[in-house]
Amino acid sequence: MEHLSADDHGLIAPVSLPRDGTAPGKLSGPDEYDAFFRIHYDDVSDAAWAQQALAVTRKVADDLRDSSLGEAERADLLDGMNLLLQHALALTAGR
């Protein structure tokens, strides 16, 4: 396992991309990325965003029980979910 710096928050190592943020060879762009990850850009309140984050993490946690992920991968996913939910809590608490 490669060493991660303290700034990585225990996440996977970063992926290198050209400065414009696209995959080399211009195979994709922002529209393809957004479509793949089903990203929609709307004006959303902090409370509505936090509700969406809670709903998604609840579904992921439910699916995690039957996943084929290893223990370390599950722990990494749960750590990421914890960071997301901490942010959602901070938003709704007005911090």
Side-chain angles (χ1 to χ4, degrees):
M1 180 174 177
E2 71 182 87
H3 172 72
L4 300 175
S5 73
D7 294 338
D8 287 326
H9 305 288
L11 302 175
I12 61 172
V15 174
S16 297
L17 290 173
R19 291 240 177 247
D20 66 3
T22 62
K26 303 294 181 195
L27 296 175
S28 65
D31 292 337
E32 289 81 10
Y33 179 91
D34 292 348
F36 181 82
F37 288 105
R38 301 179 55 152
I39 296 172
H40 299 273
Y41 295 96
D42 295 319
D43 289 327
V44 62
S45 70
D46 290 351
W49 183 88
Q51 285 179 321
Q52 291 175 13
L54 182 59
V56 169
T57 55
R58 184 178 297 125
K59 289 178 182 179
V60 171
D62 289 345
D63 288 346
L64 197 55
R65 291 180 216 148
D66 298 322
S67 78
S68 61
L69 295 174
E71 188 174 322
E73 294 166 318
R74 289 176 194 228
D76 287 344
L77 186 56
L78 290 170
D79 285 343
M81 290 167 54
N82 179 50
L83 289 172
L84 179 69
L85 292 173
Q86 289 293 324
H87 180 67
L89 182 60
L91 284 175
T92 58
R95 293 180 44 189

